[in-house]
Amino acid sequence: MKKLSIITLDKYSDSVVSSLHEAGLVQIQDISERLQQDAEWKQILTPSHATPFTGRISSLLMKTTGTIDFLHSVRKREKGILNMVKGLINPPPIEKTEIEEIDVEKLIKKVETVLDEVESKTKPLEENLNQLDSEKAQLENAHKVALNLTNFDVDLGDLSESKFMSVIVGKISNTSFEKFKENIKELTDEIEIFETEASEKEFKILIVITSKQYGDEVTSRLRKLEFERFEFPGVTGTPSEITRNAESRIEEIEKEKKAVLNDLAEISAEWKPQLLILKEQLEIEKQRSEIFSSFGQTQNTVMLEGWVTEKKLDTSLEIIANSTEGHSIVDVSEPDVEKDDIPVHLDNPKFAKPYESFVHMYSTPTYREFDPTILMALVFPFFFGFCLTDAGYGIIDALLGLVLYKGLGKTNKFMGSFGLILIACGVWAFILGMITNGFIGDFFPRWILGGAPIPTTIALVDAFKHPEIILIIALIVGAIHLNMGLVIGAYNNFNRGEKKEALGAQIVWIILEVGIVLAAVGYLLGGSMMMAIPGAIVAVAAVGLMVYINGAFGIMDLTGFLGNLLSYARLLALCLSTGGIAMTVNILAGLVGDMIPFIGIIAAAIVFFGGHLANLAFQSLGAFINALRLHYVEYFAQFYIGGSQKFRAFRAKRKYTDLGGK
């Protein structure tokens, strides 16, 4: 990483910002705070400010986004599961529109013109839609009330309030109604109560008529008894007439709404693509306008600082020189590891690129720290395959990954990367399944090969016959993986000049392991003292060195290290659970097919496919989580520090547009 300090004339500031933004190579650093706090810098430069167009751009961006969201909600949708699946498997590519770069004022005027034109078309339709929805809500309420009052042959218009009379209509439970009749007697005799059974047997429909002076008190007492009052202002006609008219008008409203929505869908198809382009242009201009607040300035010059990768340094310098017509001074310096907050950009081969998201998810490595992405790209799919160890499941996972990569991956970078990871994981599951005799559990060996193992099976690692060998392999793989972490940790510590830390945290463990291995080999070779005694001496010396460097509590790390090693036994556990459940599904499917007459074959197929799909989903998820855990908890703990900021270039994100000539 290289640090850039750029000074140019004020008249070139827009040009250099636009050029750097389009190139997307430099991360701009905010120096405004330093200019305010550092007395020496304060005498030379003052903090710059966002351009005066920022407020208008932000306001237009919000309005444009709202309009797009509305048009998106009324767009024509292709219905059906097949269309939905097709959209996931093969989404239509986004076609970019070539545009000419225009200045901010022209862009603002263009956006305002387009928004006004779109609003002139959508606003009357939107108001009409709101009116129809409001009318429909009133009709539905009137319809509901009318259904409840069907047993009352009365015009609802006659049940409205008058100067001398209060009318209360609603629903109450039978128990509460009895209480109401008892306590209303003490209030007044000037009251009439008409009742009928509601559609729910435990409720009654009431019409209560009383003098105006008692209306509020009666209402209050009913409310305390959880009385549901019906409101129907302006509704006239008998319940049967209202029900009939409401149903007819609601049907008409639905037809009118459909016509309005069709008109809005046509407007959406016509204007939404253009609005998406304008929104993208506004977002780009907003970023450019706001970035000026990170600069320093004098009366005629501006200064900005940034970071660029060493690979892109020459290209960046050329862009700066061209955009300023040579009227710029650029100071290129090495970062100060102790003082600078250096952004980190991971630069890995294409096959390892998808795994960078896993590393960033944990924590971006420090500037001088080893980048574990390549090793993770090699080991992670292997761990996943080890946990699954089923060739049939591996084929399905690889195909799902291919669908993601070729489908959603075309428009979504993360889904494309995840698809590639899933392909690699599925390939390893297939390979390990073929050598351990696992193909949809024991389905292929038992039902296709008549009990014989798959031809590619290595007898010694047949998962159904020698699980103890699989366990030993898992622990050996774990030991190798942990020692890779120890070696990397020692390298990182030596790189930082922390030799004692490297000796006490990593090297001592390697020495201890060497001693234990020598002693164990000597014992296994018939008690050979030529290896056992030196191995024991080395192991004891390593423990002594551990206590010397880390203190007495350092000895407690032995249990922690052993726990980390035993964690790799989960590889066996998930391997056996995948095969065991798959085998159980096969047995159940066979039993169902044999025991149930006539429809047994159908039931067996349902058990077979349903059981294996569920097992595939759960075991694949478990394999993914466990492979990630072994890296995050056991492996990274041996060497990883992290905590740096991720390199984020000042980049114009163009999804819908391309600049003419670019």
Side-chain angles (χ1 to χ4, degrees), residues 347-356 371 373-374 377:
D347 187 14
N348 290 286
K350 190 174 181 180
F351 83 91
K353 211 73 179 168
Y355 297 85
E356 289 180 356
D371 176 11
T373 305
I374 291 180

Side-chain angles (χ1 to χ4, degrees), residues 471-511:
L471 175 60
I472 293 170
I473 293 173
L475 294 177
I476 291 173
V477 167
I480 295 171
H481 198 227
L482 288 176
N483 279 281
M484 284 167 52
L486 292 174
V487 171
I488 296 170
Y491 167 81
N492 286 340
N493 282 322
F494 275 114
N495 203 29
R496 289 190 292 265
E498 299 174 354
K499 296 179 181 179
K500 185 178 179 181
E501 179 68 18
L503 184 62
Q506 287 97 24
I507 295 175
V508 68
W509 291 103
I510 297 174
I511 296 172

Side-chain angles (χ1 to χ4, degrees), residues 405-576:
Y405 177 68
K406 293 289 188 180
L408 290 175
K410 292 190 296 187
T411 57
N412 186 304
K413 184 179 178 181
F414 175 79
M415 294 308 295
S417 296
F418 186 75
L420 289 173
I421 292 171
L422 198 54
I423 290 171
C425 291
V427 168
W428 268 111
F430 173 79
I431 293 171
L432 295 176
M434 292 299 287
I435 66 175
T436 58
N437 198 29
F439 200 116
I440 313 181
D442 63 344
F443 173 78
F444 200 91
R446 174 185 289 188
W447 301 108
I448 306 299
L449 300 178
I454 299 171
T456 54
T457 301
I458 299 175
L460 193 62
V461 292
D462 188 328
F464 295 106
K465 295 180 180 179
H466 299 290
E468 73 283 358
I469 302 298
I470 304 295
L471 175 60
I472 293 170
I473 293 173
L475 294 177
I476 291 173
V477 167
I480 295 171
H481 198 227
L482 288 176
N483 279 281
M484 284 167 52
L486 292 174
V487 171
I488 296 170
Y491 167 81
N492 286 340
N493 282 322
F494 275 114
N495 203 29
R496 289 190 292 265
E498 299 174 354
K499 296 179 181 179
K500 185 178 179 181
E501 179 68 18
L503 184 62
Q506 287 97 24
I507 295 175
V508 68
W509 291 103
I510 297 174
I511 296 172
L512 177 61
E513 289 178 271
V514 170
I516 292 173
V517 169
L518 287 174
V521 170
Y523 175 78
L524 293 174
L525 292 177
S528 173
M529 294 299 104
M530 292 293 292
M531 294 181 67
I533 293 176
I537 293 172
V538 170
V540 172
V543 173
L545 186 61
M546 187 185 303
V547 173
Y548 174 75
I549 296 174
N550 301 320
F553 286 102
I555 200 74
M556 297 179 65
D557 291 337
L558 284 168
T559 56
F561 188 82
L562 182 61
N564 287 338
L565 179 60
L566 291 177
S567 291
Y568 288 83
R570 290 191 183 92
L571 295 171
L572 167 70
L574 269 74
C575 166
L576 294 181

Side-chain angles (χ1 to χ4, degrees), residues 6-7 29-49 291-298 301-305:
I6 307 163
I7 298 176
Q29 183 169 313
D30 190 348
I31 62 172
S32 59
E33 188 175 344
R34 190 207 311 167
L35 297 181
Q36 293 174 340
Q37 296 178 354
D38 192 306
E40 186 177 350
W41 278 99
K42 202 172 184 180
Q43 293 177 0
I44 305 171
L45 297 166
T46 58
S48 184
H49 302 285
I291 200 64
F292 280 91
S293 61
S294 302
F295 300 170
Q297 66 179 8
T298 66
T301 64
V302 294
M303 176 181 173
L304 59 146
E305 289 186 354

Side-chain angles (χ1 to χ4, degrees), residues 312-323:
K312 302 296 183 182
L313 176 61
D314 292 340
T315 307
S316 300
L317 294 177
E318 185 179 349
I319 290 170
I320 294 167
N322 291 338
S323 62

Side-chain angles (χ1 to χ4, degrees), residues 228-295:
E228 180 187 344
R229 187 168 185 175
F230 299 152
E231 301 289 348
F232 44 94
V235 178
T236 60
T238 64
S240 58
E241 292 173 342
I242 293 170
T243 301
R244 185 170 57 254
N245 293 336
E247 289 173 351
S248 175
R249 179 55 187 152
I250 287 173
E251 189 175 339
E252 291 176 4
I253 287 174
E254 288 299 327
K255 292 179 181 178
E256 291 178 27
K257 281 181 65 178
K258 188 175 182 180
V260 173
L261 288 171
N262 284 335
D263 291 340
L264 286 171
E266 291 178 4
I267 296 172
S268 176
E270 180 183 358
W271 290 97
K272 185 185 169 187
Q274 186 175 348
L275 286 170
L276 287 170
I277 291 171
L278 293 175
K279 179 189 175 186
E280 186 168 274
Q281 289 180 276
L282 286 171
E283 288 172 337
I284 289 171
E285 288 299 337
K286 182 173 181 286
Q287 291 172 348
R288 292 176 183 177
S289 297
E290 291 175 341
I291 200 64
F292 280 91
S293 61
S294 302
F295 300 170

